[in-house]
Each structure stands twice: as C-alpha cells, then as structure tokens.
C-alpha cells in the first residue's frame, strides 16, 4: 500500500510539472487547426466563382395590355418580367427587407446564426430551417440548386459573401425581387403585382407592397388570400407586423402606418384565360414578332410589354352582346321580328334550320385614317374554336360590296369587288377608307413594344390613297342620306347565308358579319347553312351596342372636333386614338 501511495504521489507531481507544457501543445494544435480552417476558407473563397443564373430564372414572359394599359394576358414559359429597381417604389423595397431580412443594408451577405441553425437541423435530422438573408435566398433560388446539404449550404455562404463584396446592395435586391416566387405562378415583383392586384409594380401602394412582401414567407399558402378567410386572417397579421417594422425603421411615416388598410386581392384561382382574349393575343403576338424581326417563341420568352390597340371594355361588351344569341346552336327567339325593319333590308324569310346550325358572329372596329383596331371579335371561345373569324374568316360578301361597284380602286383595294368572300377585317378596312376620304390605313393591333423600360417599337399609321376623295364622298353621302342617320350604314347579304352591317363616321368604322353552318361531324366537313330569321335584329343589336360602348349612342352622337394634323383633311381626332 505504501508503494502504491508513493507512485500516485510521483504521478501527480509529474502531471503538475508538465501541465503547462501540455496546455501549450494543445493551444498550438488548436491554433494550427484554426489556421488550416481559415486558410481553407480563404482558398475556397478565392476559388469560388459566382455562377450564372439558372436558365429558368432568366426566362421571362411577354405581357400584353390594351390601349388603356389594362392587363390583357401573357405568353411565355414562366410568368416573370424583369424590371429595373427604379420601377419598384422604395417603400415596396423596404417592405420586402422588413419581411425577409432587416439587416440587409448592413450585413455581409450571410447570417452566421441562421447557418449554424440550418447546419444543426441537417445534422440532427430536423426539418428545414429558414432565416437566410436576402442575398442567400437569391443565391439559393437563382444560382444554386434547392438541395438541402451541408456542402451546398457552405457553398451558398461563400457565394453570398463574395456577391455581397462584389455587387452593390441595390444590384442584389434587384436580382432578388425579379426572381423570388410570390405564389399564383408569379416569379418576380412585376408579375406578382399584376396577379394579385392587376397593376404594375411601379403603381403598388404601401399596403399592397407590404402584402406582397408578407406573401414571400409561404407563397403556396398565402396565395389563397382574398378567397380563403383563414389564410387571409393569417396574412393580415403578418402584414401588420411588416408595416410596424417599416414604421419603426422610418421607411414609412406614422401617418402612413395609421392610414394603411389591408388591400383587396384579385380573386384566386383565376378563371379560364382561353375565352376571348387569346384571339387578341394571337393577333398582337404575330404582329409584334414581325415588327421586331423575331419568332413568336422568342417574343414569348423575351420579357416584352406589348401595348395593343384594343379597347378591352368594348371587346368584353362585344363578347357579351354576340354571345346573347349567336355563336351558339340556333334556337328561335320570340319578340324579335319587329326589329327586322330597323335592321335594314326588310324581313328575312322565316327559315326552319334542319339539324344543328351554329351561327357565327365576327365584329371589327377600327379607326379610319389611322388603322388602329379597337375590337376584333372572332369567336365565342378560343378553346373550342382557335380560328379567328374576324381576321381570317372568308365570309360571302354578296351585296355588302355594292357601294364600291364601278369605282376605280387602287392598291390594296384593287381586287376588292372581285373578292367573293373577304374577311370582315378587310371589308371594314375598305369602308374605313371611304370614311377617311379615300385614304387607306393598314390595320394594326400593336401600338408600342417596350422591354425593361426601353421603347423598342412604336406604331405610326401606314396610309396611302386607295380611292379618289370624290368617290369616297359619294359612298358616304349615299349611305348617310339613305337612312338620314348621323352615321353611314350599309347592310348587305349573300342570300340567306350571310348578313353584313357596317356603320361608320370619320372616327370609327364598325363591321358586323353573321354566317351560319352545319358543324363538322366526324369526317364530314362543316357546310353552309341559312341564317335564322332573327339574324337581322341580332346584327343590329350587336352593332348599336358596340358603337355606343366606344363612342356613345348613335342618336345625338357629337364627335370631338379637335383637329388632328396626322389624319386626312377634314378628319377629326379618332376616338380612343393610340396614346
């Protein structure tokens, strides 16, 4: 026992004597390890390259708007449009910062605490952890894969640091706002503004900006706000939290905070987009691609904004009027026979259609002397009939071309009277020439094309003389005098198969064409059919309804008398002319 005690005492003494040496060795090893880690991090930092954005994050859609700037629709593989940061109001930028990363303006691109939390969650098998900076989110979403691993998280951190050191905060924020997903299929702030509120990003209010910023947290959940009460209530709580943070940081004033009200969201999910608007987008997309010298596929992916000449309010009204009795299988309606006399040409024979008969309505409204197309109604539903009757349909003219008989017509109307079945757009253009004192204006549907705030194309009327001023005046005088009306009107028909009605003055030309067919069945092609006796009153109803929607009622019509030097002599400023 004594010997054992002596050995223990000697060991304690030896340990005591070597403690300092061992501690120094441990510190040296630790410092060496730390130096190696730092060195490895420095080497990794210098070897790390900032990758190019994923091809899908660089893809954009092209947006179409009407003559007033109202949203018409889009074409493209992804609902995204890139815009400069200058088109995002400062308070919208600050709302996103308040919602996602309040230290964004001052941090180094990473959040060490968030990285440690995510790493521990991965190692321990926990769920996905958030809390990344805006820079990290941009790197993850636009530059890296969404894979959750320690190695990817480490690379994300290195790229974020390097991005923060080599790019300005505004550049990073611009990239983030143009790529972050907001739900409802919208990538980027511009598409989100349209999908949620029907406005451009530059027109977002403080309340709307804070609402969109609040959605980023869980877009697939919050996208239902406005239609789901529970989701809406939760988003309102988060929206208020964002606004409070903005007021606290000075991004908005206390008065702005007090005045803020939760904004109304557009209904979600949206309705079917085929319906009417695809006809308009088809026409405008084809023309826009031609003007830019690119394919329609390149146009769809290019991130352009195409301002069309269409008046969407008038187009919607046309669709409503035309659908009330046309573009459907015929069914006789009572109470309409009396309207036939007013419709022109007397009563049509009462025809009892045999079998299924589908009545088609085509409507074209354009500006004489300018060529801007305001209405182009070519079918009731694009999904069921993608062919546009107004632009491409050949409809038997019959007596609709009588006013031009015997006149010397110049290009492009040279062979008009020899054309048995013109398109409604061509016939409308011919009467618009008479309205513009003999000056033919090429119809167009694209007024302006922009991208990222730059104007790439702007339309100018393309005109040429196609008939003498005297001949044009004779047509107009005859049509005005025949019905003693404030506008010129010509009705025509090809037997019982088609019915035309054109109304015009110096400001607008409106053509309505009706024809009927027995729909195709199996291998049997569609065949012409006689129109029902209600066709005349239907033509009149559509014509007067559309006309009044655009320029006011025919009775008491008082067109603006403001001169327009760009139009033919004697012609005044066209109604709703392209801005």
């Amino acid at each position: 026992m004594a010997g054992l005690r002596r050995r223990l005492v000697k060991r304690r003494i030896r340990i005591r004597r070597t403690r300092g040496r061992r501690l120094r060795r441990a510190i040296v090893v630790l410092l060496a390890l730390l130096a190696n880690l730092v060195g490895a991090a420095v080497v990794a930092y210098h070897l790390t390259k900032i990758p190019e954005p994923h091809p899908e994050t660089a893809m954009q859609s092209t947006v179409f708007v009407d003559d007033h700037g109202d949203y018409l629709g889009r074409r493209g593989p992804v609902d995204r449009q890139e815009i400069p940061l200058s088109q995002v109001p400062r308070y919208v930028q600050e709302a996103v910062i308040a919602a996602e990363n309040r230290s964004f303006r001052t941090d180094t691109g990473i959040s060490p605490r968030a990285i440690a939390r995510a790493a521990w969650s991965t190692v321990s098998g926990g769920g996905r952890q958030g809390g990344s900076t805006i820079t990290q989110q941009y790197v993850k979403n636009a530059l890296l894969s969404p894979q959750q691993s320690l190695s990817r998280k480490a690379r994300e951190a290195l790229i974020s640091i390097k991005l923060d050191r080599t790019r300005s905060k505004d550049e990073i924020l611009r990239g983030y706002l143009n790529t972050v997903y907001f739900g409802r299929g919208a990538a980027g702030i511009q598409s989100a503004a349209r999908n949620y509120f029907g406005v451009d990003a530059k027109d977002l209010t403080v309340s709307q900006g804070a609402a969109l910023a609040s959605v980023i947290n869980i877009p697939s959940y919050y996208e239902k706000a406005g239609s789901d009460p529970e989701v809406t209530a939760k988003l309102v709580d988060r929206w208020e939290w964002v606004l409070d943070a903005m007021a606290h940081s000075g991004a908005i004033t206390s008065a702005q905070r007090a005045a803020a009200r939760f904004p109304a969201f557009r209904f979600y999910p949206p309705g079917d987009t085929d319906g009417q608007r695809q006809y308009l987008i088809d026409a405008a997309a084809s023309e826009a691609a031609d003007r830019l010298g690119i394919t329609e596929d390149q146009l769809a992916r290019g991130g352009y904004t195409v301002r069309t000449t269409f008046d969407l309010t008038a187009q919607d009204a046309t669709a409503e009027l035309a659908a009330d009795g046309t573009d459907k299988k015929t069914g006789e309606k009572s109470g309409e026979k009396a309207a036939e006399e007013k419709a022109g040409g007397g009563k049509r024979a009462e025809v009892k259609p045999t079998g299924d008969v589908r009545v088609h309505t085509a409507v074209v409204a354009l500006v004489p002397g300018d060529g801007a197309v305001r209405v182009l109604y070519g079918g009731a539903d694009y999904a069921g009939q993608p062919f546009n009757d107004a632009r491409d349909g050949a409809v038997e003219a019959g007596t609709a071309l009588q006013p031009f008989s015997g006149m010397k017509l110049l290009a492009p109307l040279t062979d008009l009277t020899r054309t048995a079945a013109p398109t409604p757009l061509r016939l409308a253009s011919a009467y618009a020439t008479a309205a513009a004192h003999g000056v033919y204006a090429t119809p167009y549907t694209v007024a302006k094309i922009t991208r990222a705030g730059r104007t790439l194309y702007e339309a100018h009327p393309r005109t040429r003389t196609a008939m003498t001023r005297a001949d044009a005046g004779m047509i107009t005088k005859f049509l005005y005098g025949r019905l003693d009306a404030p506008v010129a009107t010509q009705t025509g028909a090809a037997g019982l198969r088609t019915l035309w009605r054109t109304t015009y003055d110096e400001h607008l030309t409106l053509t309505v064409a009706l024809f009927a067919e027995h729909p195709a069945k199996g291998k049997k092609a569609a065949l012409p059919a006689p129109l029902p006796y209600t066709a005349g009153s239907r033509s009149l109803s559509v014509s007067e309804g559309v006309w009044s929607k655009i320029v006011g009622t025919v009775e008491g019509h008082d067109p603006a008398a403001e001169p327009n030097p760009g139009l033919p002599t004697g012609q005044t400023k066209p109604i709703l002319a392209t801005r």
Side-chain angles (χ1 to χ4, degrees):
M1 289 294 292
L4 179 60
R5 242 186 247 110
R6 281 195 300 271
R7 284 196 298 273
L8 289 174
V9 170
K10 287 180 181 180
R11 187 172 181 178
R12 278 197 296 270
I13 293 171
R14 188 165 56 251
I15 291 171
R16 216 177 281 126
R17 288 174 178 174
T18 60
R19 181 184 297 166
R21 186 166 61 249
R22 284 186 290 104
L23 182 60
R24 286 192 296 274
R25 286 178 181 172
I27 292 173
V28 169
V29 171
L30 185 62
L31 289 174
L33 180 61
L34 186 60
N36 285 332
L37 289 174
V38 171
V42 170
V43 171
Y45 175 82
H46 285 291
L47 291 177
T48 297
K49 294 182 179 180
I50 299 174
E52 292 296 320
H54 297 311
E56 57 267 26
T57 61
M59 288 181 184
Q60 301 184 62
S61 62
T62 285
V63 167
F64 297 81
V65 299
D66 82 342
D67 184 57
H68 301 276
D70 294 332
Y71 181 70
L72 182 60
R74 72 173 182 90
R75 286 280 170 87
V78 60
D79 192 359
R80 189 180 82 86
Q81 275 201 307
E82 192 160 317
I83 57 173
L85 195 62
S86 60
Q87 291 187 19
V88 183
R90 182 74 177 193
Y91 50 76
V92 177
Q93 300 175 36
E94 294 302 326
V96 172
I97 290 172
E100 292 297 305
N101 177 199
R102 296 179 184 180
S103 64
F104 171 73
R105 299 284 185 191
T106 57
D107 63 34
T108 60
I110 64 170
S111 170
R113 182 181 299 177
I115 292 175
R117 183 169 62 245
W120 172 252
S121 176
T122 301
V123 170
S124 62
R128 178 183 173 186
Q129 291 291 319
S132 298
T133 64
I134 281 176
T135 307
Q136 285 176 273
Q137 290 184 55
Y138 173 61
V139 169
K140 177 181 65 178
N141 295 333
L143 309 181
L144 295 177
S145 70
Q147 174 192 3
Q148 293 295 310
S149 66
L150 283 174
S151 61
R152 195 209 57 80
K153 197 69 179 176
R155 188 163 180 244
E156 174 192 303
L158 287 171
I159 295 173
S160 297
I161 294 170
K162 198 160 195 174
L163 198 67
D164 189 78
R165 291 172 63 88
T166 58
R167 309 276 174 87
S168 69
K169 290 290 187 181
D170 278 354
E171 285 181 277
I172 295 170
L173 185 60
R174 179 187 64 80
Y176 176 76
L177 288 174
N178 278 315
T179 55
V180 66
Y181 184 62
F182 285 87
R184 297 195 174 189
I189 189 71
Q190 174 73 350
S191 294
R194 286 194 183 279
N195 286 11
Y196 282 89
F197 302 112
V199 300
D200 288 323
K202 62 183 176 61
D203 298 320
L204 287 168
T205 65
V206 171
S207 293
Q208 290 171 337
L212 288 181
S214 303
V215 165
I216 296 173
N217 181 242
I218 320 175
S220 60
Y221 176 75
Y222 288 131
E223 69 182 1
K224 301 178 183 66
S227 60
D228 186 314
E230 182 179 345
V231 173
T232 304
K234 290 185 178 180
L235 185 60
V236 168
D237 290 340
R238 184 168 174 79
W239 171 79
E240 290 181 340
W241 173 74
V242 169
L243 285 175
D244 289 341
M246 293 174 70
H248 180 74
S249 68
I252 58 174
T253 65
S254 55
Q256 286 176 305
R257 174 64 186 96
R261 297 292 181 272
F262 190 74
F265 280 30
R266 297 179 71 189
F267 178 74
Y268 185 80
D272 183 6
T273 59
D274 284 336
Q276 267 300 301
R277 300 187 179 192
Q278 291 302 325
Y279 290 111
L280 307 184
I281 294 173
D282 265 3
S286 175
E287 185 175 323
D290 182 64
R291 296 290 176 264
L292 295 176
I294 59 178
T295 66
E296 288 191 44
D297 184 61
Q298 289 172 319
L299 177 80
R301 297 169 180 268
Y304 301 95
T305 296
V306 178
R307 192 184 191 99
T308 69
T309 61
F310 302 122
D311 177 0
L312 199 50
T313 301
Q315 182 77 25
D316 290 344
T318 303
E320 186 175 341
L321 288 163
D324 183 18
T326 60
D327 287 299
K328 299 176 180 178
K329 291 177 183 178
T330 58
E332 301 298 329
K333 284 194 170 188
S334 60
E336 291 186 335
K337 292 184 181 180
E340 293 302 311
E341 292 291 341
K342 186 179 180 183
K347 293 184 180 181
R348 294 175 64 86
E350 292 195 25
V351 176
K352 296 291 185 180
T354 58
D356 291 338
V357 173
R358 187 174 296 276
V359 178
H360 292 252
T361 304
V363 183
V364 177
L366 50 79
V367 178
D370 180 280
V373 179
R374 298 301 180 209
V375 172
L376 191 67
Y377 179 87
D381 185 6
Y382 186 89
Q385 178 197 303
F387 184 82
N388 190 322
D389 286 329
R391 186 179 68 157
D392 305 311
V395 183
E396 285 185 275
T399 58
L401 291 176
Q402 269 187 350
F404 301 98
S405 298
M407 291 186 176
K408 184 179 180 181
L409 300 176
L410 306 177
L413 300 180
T414 309
D415 63 345
L416 177 67
T417 55
R418 297 192 299 274
T419 305
T423 67
L425 180 59
R426 190 178 188 208
L427 191 87
S429 299
Y431 278 100
T433 303
H437 313 293
V439 175
Y440 175 89
T442 303
Y444 67 96
T445 63
V446 175
K448 192 174 183 180
I449 305 173
T450 60
R451 181 167 61 178
R454 290 179 55 243
T455 298
L456 303 179
Y457 169 80
E458 193 159 10
H460 298 285
R462 293 183 293 171
T463 61
R464 61 185 301 171
T465 300
M467 67 177 70
T468 66
R469 188 180 181 88
D471 283 346
M474 186 166 62
I475 292 174
T476 301
K477 184 177 181 181
F478 171 71
L479 296 181
Y480 266 99
R482 188 176 62 177
L483 296 177
D484 192 26
V487 292
T489 301
Q490 162 68 11
T491 59
L496 299 175
R497 298 180 300 279
T498 68
L499 181 63
W500 294 82
R501 184 181 184 85
T502 296
T503 303
Y504 71 82
D505 63 8
E506 291 183 326
H507 309 278
L508 187 74
T509 297
L510 174 66
T511 293
V512 178
L514 273 68
F515 66 96
E517 67 176 10
H518 295 292
K521 288 185 178 180
K523 295 182 179 180
K524 188 177 180 181
L527 296 172
L531 286 165
Y533 73 84
T534 57
S537 58
R538 182 56 47 199
S539 173
L540 175 64
S541 172
V542 172
S543 180
E544 290 191 343
V546 176
W547 185 277
S548 65
K549 200 68 179 180
I550 300 177
V551 299
T553 58
V554 172
E555 290 79 9
H557 173 54
D558 183 20
E562 181 181 346
N564 187 336
L567 296 177
T569 304
Q571 184 171 346
T572 53
K573 187 175 182 180
I575 300 297
L576 296 177
T578 305
R579 292 163 179 75

